[in-house]
Amino acid sequence: MTHCAPPLPGVSLAAPGPRPVPSLPGAGRLDRARARLAARLVAAAGPDGLLRAPCDSRMLESALALHLLTVTDVDPDARERLTRRLKTGLDEGAPDPVQEAAARAALGEYADGRGALARLLGGFDHFTAGRKHLMFRTVLAELGADAFAELPDSGPGSASGSGSDPGSVFEARGQQRWLITEMAALKVLHAFGTRAPRLVTEDDWRTLEPCALPGPPPYGNHFARILALLALRLHPRYAAAVRARARELRDVLREDGGLPFITGMDVFATATGGLALAGAGAPAPTLRSLAAALTHHQNFDGGWGFDRGVGQSDVDDTAYCVEFLRTAAPKRPGAGTANETAAGERYLLARQGADGGFPTFERGTASEVAITAAAVNALAPEPAHRAAVAAAVRFVTARQEAAGPYERSWSLNESNALFRTVLAHDSFLAVAPGHPAAAGAARARARAAARLLETQNRDGGWGHVPSDPSDPISTAYALIAVARTPGARVATARAVRHLLERQRPDGGFTSRPDQAGPRPLAYHVPLLTDVCVLLGLNHARAGLAGP
């Protein structure tokens, strides 16, 4: 996902600026659409220079917030706002059965939590499935929609894999910080819910303590903080702090009266939006301003989190930040962002696993295709990283050639992981065409592109998975890859027409939620749709101008 590159198979997320496109009817309309989108992104910049990308409210966090205010008996006005949000959500149709069950339980209605969980996770084939089942069942039990699960003794086949204490199935050592918080909170809730408080240790309480402090939620995660506050209320030491934090919830409710999953994705949106603006030909001072804002929010470990104040770095955000910094200020002696870019690269390399792949957060956890592809795109331009990039490409290639479904990870879209892998293969083939891994990368790239071409809907767009109705963000993801694929000019033109027909009068796009967390629950950051559509249209503009 680097800025500028030679024609295919070179990589370019931030595709080159306008060029004559005689083969595309209405090229002027395409350029106007890109200009309007670019103007929206520039206007989204806040006082600190980051693009503002708040997260919409969600029923799960709103239900937990209502439950917290109810059990602490504070702020009737906020309770009323949350109640209206949940009732409206139920009337309009809950996004998934677990959130419906959570909302009904928080409102005091009957809810079949066990059935809801089976419907949500019945087809969830992911390495986190066991943990998610335990997580959501405990949440629903706390809300009164299910019974607390019986926990077997922990052993080699358990969630934690060590010890003989049933409570150890909630351990999350070596995982991201907010997951450690979430699992400690669930352990406390389960222990008290099953009348076994002896299972809770002083370490558990200390893990949760930061969530009782004033200010934004630790790690930008409202879900983790609400769970922690519900757990901390069960210890007299924290009762006053919990009530104080509960009273402050009114300040973070969205306009619709609900609570979001996370505070926002300003860092992620600035990095990806910066790449989109670069591809749309934004002035260099605009790009440098965005880059300066990103460097201000770099964490001490050299990585970046998804939002301001998020000290937990991750590979995905760091990869995009590295790419954009390299785009906005190419790394050369004396360049203002050279040190920050190099630190980001070191962060990425330190997380590569023995299998060649990259996890989202901590080394030693499961590698993921989409995350590995992001790391490849960030590292490939540096010759010193060639061995690490080749190992990562081999990991992606092996996963793509294996039988089974296409990965859907932090996005609910097949097309998200597919476009990332196409770019990763292009990155590698551009810098190491004669490498022994190149042949496999070329085959995997062709397979990914073929999957997208085979699953394009009749209206020219794509949905989350084949047969789903088309939506703008899914279509934009696919367009990034398809527009770079030789012989796909007709499919590219159809996708462009699909998007242009759906642009709002204000220049923006409306799409269904696509981000997932905790996986597989969807959440929505509306600005990301505009970012991704601009990226897709940039690639279409460059691709259709080619030979």
Side-chain angles (χ1 to χ4, degrees):
M1 293 188 181
T2 46
H3 170 49
C4 284
L8 292 170
V11 63
S12 171
L13 176 58
R19 292 150 56 188
V21 190
S23 60
L24 177 64
R29 184 184 175 197
L30 172 56
D31 288 340
R32 288 192 296 273
R34 294 166 65 221
R36 292 163 68 197
L37 271 174
R40 283 180 59 82
L41 295 187
V42 171
D48 64 354
L50 294 180
L51 300 188
R52 292 164 295 185
C55 180
D56 282 357
S57 74
R58 191 167 67 172
M59 292 181 73
L60 177 61
E61 286 73 20
S62 301
L64 289 168
L66 177 58
H67 179 57
L68 176 66
L69 294 178
T70 301
V71 297
T72 55
D73 193 24
V74 301
D75 203 337
D77 290 340
R79 274 185 270 168
E80 177 59 28
R81 291 177 65 192
L82 287 159
T83 296
R84 288 198 300 270
R85 165 68 178 95
L86 293 175
K87 288 183 175 180
T88 300
L90 289 172
D91 289 343
E92 295 175 347
D96 59 73
V98 163
Q99 294 197 75
E100 178 180 358
R104 293 193 183 282
L107 293 170
E109 302 176 7
Y110 170 75
D112 176 16
R114 189 79 59 86
L117 190 57
R119 291 194 299 277
L120 177 73
L121 296 182
F124 183 54
D125 181 17
H126 196 265
F127 66 88
T128 64
R131 184 172 68 231
K132 294 304 166 55
H133 191 280
L134 179 62
M135 173 184 288
F136 294 136
R137 185 166 184 191
T138 305
V139 167
L140 291 172
E142 170 63 23
L143 291 169
D146 196 357
F148 287 99
E150 293 185 7
L151 301 181
D153 284 349
S154 173
S158 72
S160 67
S162 62
S164 58
D165 178 1
S168 64
V169 298
F170 292 99
E171 288 180 2
R173 286 177 292 186
Q175 301 286 346
Q176 62 267 35
R177 297 172 205 169
W178 60 76
L179 179 59
I180 294 172
T181 298
E182 290 167 7
M183 298 309 288
L186 295 171
K187 177 183 177 182
V188 171
L189 294 174
H190 189 280
F192 278 78
T194 56
R195 299 182 181 180
R198 67 186 183 281
L199 297 178
V200 180
T201 68
E202 189 60 28
D203 284 344
D204 296 324
W205 297 118
R206 281 197 293 268
T207 297
L208 300 175
E209 275 182 354
C211 293
L213 298 175
Y219 324 119
N221 193 307
H222 287 296
F223 176 69
R225 186 182 213 175
I226 290 289
L227 287 180
L229 291 175
L230 285 168
L232 288 168
R233 86 184 197 276
L234 300 171
H235 195 307
R237 181 196 311 165
Y238 304 106
V242 169
R243 287 173 61 85
R245 301 293 82 74
R247 291 189 186 96
E248 294 166 1
L249 279 175
R250 63 165 49 236
D251 298 327
V252 294
L253 299 183
R254 293 291 187 247
E255 290 183 2
D256 63 3
L259 186 71
F261 165 48
I262 54 176
T263 53
M265 296 184 72
D266 291 7
V267 169
F268 182 84
T270 300
T272 54
L275 287 165
L277 287 169
T286 298
L287 303 181
R288 286 197 296 267
S289 176
L290 295 174
L294 284 178
T295 61
H296 180 71
H297 291 280
Q298 188 170 23
N299 292 327
F300 289 116
D301 60 9
W304 281 265
F306 57 84
D307 200 10
R308 57 172 55 79
V310 176
Q312 169 72 67
S313 300
D314 65 83
V315 171
D316 202 25
D317 286 281
T318 301
Y320 282 121
C321 287
V322 166
E323 285 194 66
F324 176 59
L325 293 184
R326 189 183 291 119
T327 295
K331 193 160 70 173
R332 61 186 185 276
T337 59
N339 291 338
E340 290 84 356
T341 303
E345 292 170 354
R346 289 193 296 272
Y347 169 87
L348 294 173
L349 293 168
R351 272 134 194 91
Q352 187 168 26
D355 59 3
F358 289 76
T360 303
F361 298 104
E362 303 298 340
R363 191 176 193 276
T365 56
S367 297
E368 302 187 58
V369 169
I371 302 303
T372 302
V376 167
N377 289 319
L379 295 171
E382 288 299 316
H385 307 326
R386 194 60 43 78
V389 168
V393 167
R394 286 192 176 99
F395 168 82
V396 172
T397 300
R399 284 288 185 90
Q400 287 186 284
E401 291 180 343
Y406 286 82
E407 180 183 274
R408 294 194 293 158
S409 182
W410 296 105
S411 166
L412 296 172
N413 274 292
E414 266 194 15
S415 56
N416 181 277
L418 288 171
F419 97 75
R420 290 175 181 232
T421 58
V422 166
L423 291 182
H425 294 314
D426 284 353
S427 295
F428 182 64
L429 292 169
V431 299
H435 194 279
R443 289 194 305 271
R445 191 229 191 270
R447 183 171 180 261
R451 172 70 171 183
L452 290 170
L453 292 171
E454 291 165 0
T455 56
Q456 186 174 24
N457 289 333
R458 296 184 66 178
D459 62 8
W462 283 263
H464 283 184
V465 294
S467 79
D468 271 5
S470 301
D471 66 84
I473 199 166
S474 304
T475 301
Y477 290 150
L479 180 57
I480 292 171
V482 169
R484 302 177 55 79
T485 299
R489 295 169 71 90
V490 172
T492 299
R494 291 176 59 214
V496 169
R497 292 191 185 97
H498 175 88
L499 289 172
L500 296 187
E501 289 169 0
R502 284 152 183 81
Q503 190 168 29
R504 299 193 309 258
D506 65 2
F509 287 80
T510 301
S511 196
R512 64 189 291 198
D514 139 79
Q515 305 294 305
R519 294 178 282 193
L521 297 187
Y523 68 95
H524 192 40
V525 179
L527 186 71
L528 295 185
T529 300
D530 289 347
V531 168
C532 294
V533 171
L534 182 55
L535 287 169
L537 294 179
N538 288 344
H539 277 267
R541 188 67 162 92
L544 288 169

